[in-house]
PDB file of all heavy atoms in Angstrom:
ATOM      1  N   LEU A 246      77.508  56.296  44.073  1.00 96.00           N
ATOM      2  CA  LEU A 246      77.866  54.872  44.017  1.00 96.00           C
ATOM      3  C   LEU A 246      78.483  54.443  45.342  1.00 96.00           C
ATOM      4  O   LEU A 246      79.622  54.000  45.407  1.00 96.00           O
ATOM      5  CB  LEU A 246      78.828  54.623  42.842  1.00 96.00           C
ATOM      6  CG  LEU A 246      78.275  55.039  41.473  1.00 96.00           C
ATOM      7  CD1 LEU A 246      79.368  55.020  40.413  1.00 96.00           C
ATOM      8  CD2 LEU A 246      77.116  54.125  41.046  1.00 96.00           C
ATOM      9  N   ALA A 254      73.398  49.932  40.943  1.00 98.00           N
ATOM     10  CA  ALA A 254      73.755  50.243  39.551  1.00 98.00           C
ATOM     11  C   ALA A 254      74.240  48.978  38.835  1.00 98.00           C
ATOM     12  O   ALA A 254      73.922  48.747  37.659  1.00 98.00           O
ATOM     13  CB  ALA A 254      74.833  51.329  39.533  1.00 98.00           C
ATOM     14  N   LEU A 283      84.021  50.804  45.957  1.00 92.00           N
ATOM     15  CA  LEU A 283      82.713  50.474  45.377  1.00 92.00           C
ATOM     16  C   LEU A 283      82.547  51.103  43.992  1.00 92.00           C
ATOM     17  O   LEU A 283      81.828  50.577  43.151  1.00 92.00           O
ATOM     18  CB  LEU A 283      81.602  50.963  46.311  1.00 92.00           C
ATOM     19  CG  LEU A 283      81.504  50.152  47.611  1.00 92.00           C
ATOM     20  CD1 LEU A 283      80.705  50.900  48.656  1.00 92.00           C
ATOM     21  CD2 LEU A 283      80.890  48.801  47.337  1.00 92.00           C
ATOM     22  N   ALA A 301      76.497  61.915  32.875  1.00 98.00           N
ATOM     23  CA  ALA A 301      75.679  60.787  33.355  1.00 98.00           C
ATOM     24  C   ALA A 301      74.224  60.922  32.920  1.00 98.00           C
ATOM     25  O   ALA A 301      73.554  59.916  32.672  1.00 98.00           O
ATOM     26  CB  ALA A 301      75.762  60.698  34.884  1.00 98.00           C
ATOM     27  N   VAL A 308      66.944  58.820  35.622  1.00 98.00           N
ATOM     28  CA  VAL A 308      68.089  59.160  36.471  1.00 98.00           C
ATOM     29  C   VAL A 308      67.804  58.614  37.866  1.00 98.00           C
ATOM     30  O   VAL A 308      66.741  58.883  38.439  1.00 98.00           O
ATOM     31  CB  VAL A 308      68.318  60.684  36.541  1.00 98.00           C
ATOM     32  CG1 VAL A 308      69.429  61.012  37.534  1.00 98.00           C
ATOM     33  CG2 VAL A 308      68.662  61.247  35.160  1.00 98.00           C
ATOM     34  N   GLU A 325      75.028  73.838  40.859  1.00 97.00           N
ATOM     35  CA  GLU A 325      75.520  74.471  39.619  1.00 97.00           C
ATOM     36  C   GLU A 325      75.676  73.472  38.474  1.00 97.00           C
ATOM     37  O   GLU A 325      75.357  73.768  37.321  1.00 97.00           O
ATOM     38  CB  GLU A 325      76.871  75.115  39.943  1.00 97.00           C
ATOM     39  CG  GLU A 325      77.201  76.306  39.083  1.00 97.00           C
ATOM     40  CD  GLU A 325      78.564  76.870  39.480  1.00 97.00           C
ATOM     41  OE1 GLU A 325      78.875  76.893  40.699  1.00 97.00           O
ATOM     42  OE2 GLU A 325      79.293  77.254  38.569  1.00 97.00           O
ATOM     43  N   ILE A 344      65.271  60.761  52.789  1.00 98.00           N
ATOM     44  CA  ILE A 344      65.385  62.196  53.104  1.00 98.00           C
ATOM     45  C   ILE A 344      64.099  62.789  53.672  1.00 98.00           C
ATOM     46  O   ILE A 344      63.992  64.007  53.823  1.00 98.00           O
ATOM     47  CB  ILE A 344      65.867  63.014  51.874  1.00 98.00           C
ATOM     48  CG1 ILE A 344      64.911  62.860  50.680  1.00 98.00           C
ATOM     49  CG2 ILE A 344      67.284  62.643  51.488  1.00 98.00           C
ATOM     50  CD1 ILE A 344      65.191  63.854  49.554  1.00 98.00           C
ATOM     51  N   VAL A 349      61.109  65.740  49.782  1.00 98.00           N
ATOM     52  CA  VAL A 349      60.778  65.209  48.437  1.00 98.00           C
ATOM     53  C   VAL A 349      59.594  65.961  47.820  1.00 98.00           C
ATOM     54  O   VAL A 349      59.531  66.116  46.599  1.00 98.00           O
ATOM     55  CB  VAL A 349      60.533  63.676  48.419  1.00 98.00           C
ATOM     56  CG1 VAL A 349      61.809  62.926  48.752  1.00 98.00           C
ATOM     57  CG2 VAL A 349      59.397  63.243  49.304  1.00 98.00           C
ATOM     58  N   MET A 364      60.126  60.733  41.513  1.00 98.00           N
ATOM     59  CA  MET A 364      59.518  59.780  42.458  1.00 98.00           C
ATOM     60  C   MET A 364      60.455  59.583  43.642  1.00 98.00           C
ATOM     61  O   MET A 364      61.676  59.551  43.463  1.00 98.00           O
ATOM     62  CB  MET A 364      59.305  58.420  41.786  1.00 98.00           C
ATOM     63  CG  MET A 364      58.049  58.363  40.954  1.00 98.00           C
ATOM     64  SD  MET A 364      57.769  56.702  40.333  1.00 98.00           S
ATOM     65  CE  MET A 364      59.082  56.618  39.198  1.00 98.00           C
ATOM     66  N   ASP A 372      72.877  46.507  52.643  1.00 92.00           N
ATOM     67  CA  ASP A 372      73.855  46.255  51.577  1.00 92.00           C
ATOM     68  C   ASP A 372      73.645  44.864  50.972  1.00 92.00           C
ATOM     69  O   ASP A 372      73.827  44.664  49.771  1.00 92.00           O
ATOM     70  CB  ASP A 372      75.283  46.429  52.112  1.00 92.00           C
ATOM     71  CG  ASP A 372      75.572  45.571  53.343  1.00 92.00           C
ATOM     72  OD1 ASP A 372      74.645  45.324  54.152  1.00 92.00           O
ATOM     73  OD2 ASP A 372      76.732  45.151  53.507  1.00 92.00           O
ATOM     74  N   GLY A 378      69.881  42.125  44.888  1.00 98.00           N
ATOM     75  CA  GLY A 378      68.719  42.582  44.106  1.00 98.00           C
ATOM     76  C   GLY A 378      67.404  42.210  44.766  1.00 98.00           C
ATOM     77  O   GLY A 378      66.399  41.973  44.098  1.00 98.00           O
ATOM     78  N   PHE A 391      55.203  55.365  38.020  1.00 98.00           N
ATOM     79  CA  PHE A 391      55.524  54.106  38.718  1.00 98.00           C
ATOM     80  C   PHE A 391      55.493  52.932  37.731  1.00 98.00           C
ATOM     81  O   PHE A 391      56.425  52.132  37.692  1.00 98.00           O
ATOM     82  CB  PHE A 391      54.529  53.860  39.864  1.00 98.00           C
ATOM     83  CG  PHE A 391      54.730  52.528  40.541  1.00 98.00           C
ATOM     84  CD1 PHE A 391      55.811  52.324  41.392  1.00 98.00           C
ATOM     85  CD2 PHE A 391      53.863  51.463  40.305  1.00 98.00           C
ATOM     86  CE1 PHE A 391      56.020  51.088  42.007  1.00 98.00           C
ATOM     87  CE2 PHE A 391      54.062  50.229  40.919  1.00 98.00           C
ATOM     88  CZ  PHE A 391      55.139  50.049  41.774  1.00 98.00           C
ATOM     89  N   ILE A 405      58.292  45.489  45.783  1.00 98.00           N
ATOM     90  CA  ILE A 405      58.180  46.862  45.280  1.00 98.00           C
ATOM     91  C   ILE A 405      56.749  47.316  45.501  1.00 98.00           C
ATOM     92  O   ILE A 405      55.816  46.711  44.968  1.00 98.00           O
ATOM     93  CB  ILE A 405      58.556  46.898  43.791  1.00 98.00           C
ATOM     94  CG1 ILE A 405      60.033  46.507  43.655  1.00 98.00           C
ATOM     95  CG2 ILE A 405      58.305  48.269  43.186  1.00 98.00           C
ATOM     96  CD1 ILE A 405      60.304  45.582  42.539  1.00 98.00           C
ATOM     97  N   ASN A 413      54.989  59.493  50.096  1.00 98.00           N
ATOM     98  CA  ASN A 413      54.483  58.345  50.859  1.00 98.00           C
ATOM     99  C   ASN A 413      55.520  57.228  50.988  1.00 98.00           C
ATOM    100  O   ASN A 413      55.515  56.477  51.969  1.00 98.00           O
ATOM    101  CB  ASN A 413      53.210  57.789  50.215  1.00 98.00           C
ATOM    102  CG  ASN A 413      51.986  58.563  50.641  1.00 98.00           C
ATOM    103  OD1 ASN A 413      52.105  59.657  51.167  1.00 98.00           O
ATOM    104  ND2 ASN A 413      50.802  58.003  50.428  1.00 98.00           N
ATOM    105  N   GLN A 415      58.683  57.800  51.434  1.00 98.00           N
ATOM    106  CA  GLN A 415      59.504  58.277  52.564  1.00 98.00           C
ATOM    107  C   GLN A 415      58.785  58.056  53.892  1.00 98.00           C
ATOM    108  O   GLN A 415      59.410  57.700  54.896  1.00 98.00           O
ATOM    109  CB  GLN A 415      59.807  59.777  52.395  1.00 98.00           C
ATOM    110  CG  GLN A 415      60.731  60.111  51.237  1.00 98.00           C
ATOM    111  CD  GLN A 415      62.175  59.691  51.476  1.00 98.00           C
ATOM    112  OE1 GLN A 415      62.605  59.489  52.610  1.00 98.00           O
ATOM    113  NE2 GLN A 415      62.929  59.542  50.399  1.00 98.00           N
ATOM    114  N   ALA A 416      57.462  58.275  53.900  1.00 98.00           N
ATOM    115  CA  ALA A 416      56.707  58.122  55.150  1.00 98.00           C
ATOM    116  C   ALA A 416      56.795  56.675  55.651  1.00 98.00           C
ATOM    117  O   ALA A 416      57.051  56.427  56.843  1.00 98.00           O
ATOM    118  CB  ALA A 416      55.251  58.539  54.924  1.00 98.00           C
ATOM    119  N   ALA A 467      72.466  40.279  64.274  1.00 97.00           N
ATOM    120  CA  ALA A 467      72.895  39.772  65.590  1.00 97.00           C
ATOM    121  C   ALA A 467      74.195  38.954  65.479  1.00 97.00           C
ATOM    122  O   ALA A 467      75.079  39.106  66.345  1.00 97.00           O
ATOM    123  CB  ALA A 467      71.774  38.972  66.244  1.00 97.00           C
ATOM    124  N   ASN A 497      53.575  67.355  68.001  1.00 90.00           N
ATOM    125  CA  ASN A 497      53.184  67.274  69.417  1.00 90.00           C
ATOM    126  C   ASN A 497      53.125  65.832  69.921  1.00 90.00           C
ATOM    127  O   ASN A 497      52.157  65.433  70.547  1.00 90.00           O
ATOM    128  CB  ASN A 497      51.797  67.893  69.639  1.00 90.00           C
ATOM    129  CG  ASN A 497      51.768  69.324  69.174  1.00 90.00           C
ATOM    130  OD1 ASN A 497      52.746  70.040  69.374  1.00 90.00           O
ATOM    131  ND2 ASN A 497      50.692  69.725  68.543  1.00 90.00           N
ATOM    132  N   ALA A 506      66.579  54.833  71.539  1.00 98.00           N
ATOM    133  CA  ALA A 506      67.456  54.258  70.502  1.00 98.00           C
ATOM    134  C   ALA A 506      68.359  55.346  69.924  1.00 98.00           C
ATOM    135  O   ALA A 506      69.562  55.121  69.691  1.00 98.00           O
ATOM    136  CB  ALA A 506      66.605  53.614  69.402  1.00 98.00           C
ATOM    137  N   GLY A 517      83.281  57.480  68.379  1.00 97.00           N
ATOM    138  CA  GLY A 517      84.003  57.365  67.099  1.00 97.00           C
ATOM    139  C   GLY A 517      83.359  56.372  66.149  1.00 97.00           C
ATOM    140  O   GLY A 517      83.963  55.973  65.154  1.00 97.00           O
ATOM    141  N   ALA A 525      76.831  48.251  65.752  1.00 98.00           N
ATOM    142  CA  ALA A 525      77.796  48.744  66.748  1.00 98.00           C
ATOM    143  C   ALA A 525      77.095  49.396  67.937  1.00 98.00           C
ATOM    144  O   ALA A 525      77.750  49.807  68.894  1.00 98.00           O
ATOM    145  CB  ALA A 525      78.776  49.722  66.096  1.00 98.00           C
TER     146      ALA A 525
END
Side-chain angles (χ1 to χ4, degrees):
L246 302 169
L283 290 163
V308 175
E325 208 180 322
I344 59 169
V349 294
M364 278 186 290
D372 55 328
F391 175 74
I405 296 137
N413 277 16
Q415 292 289 339
N497 303 321

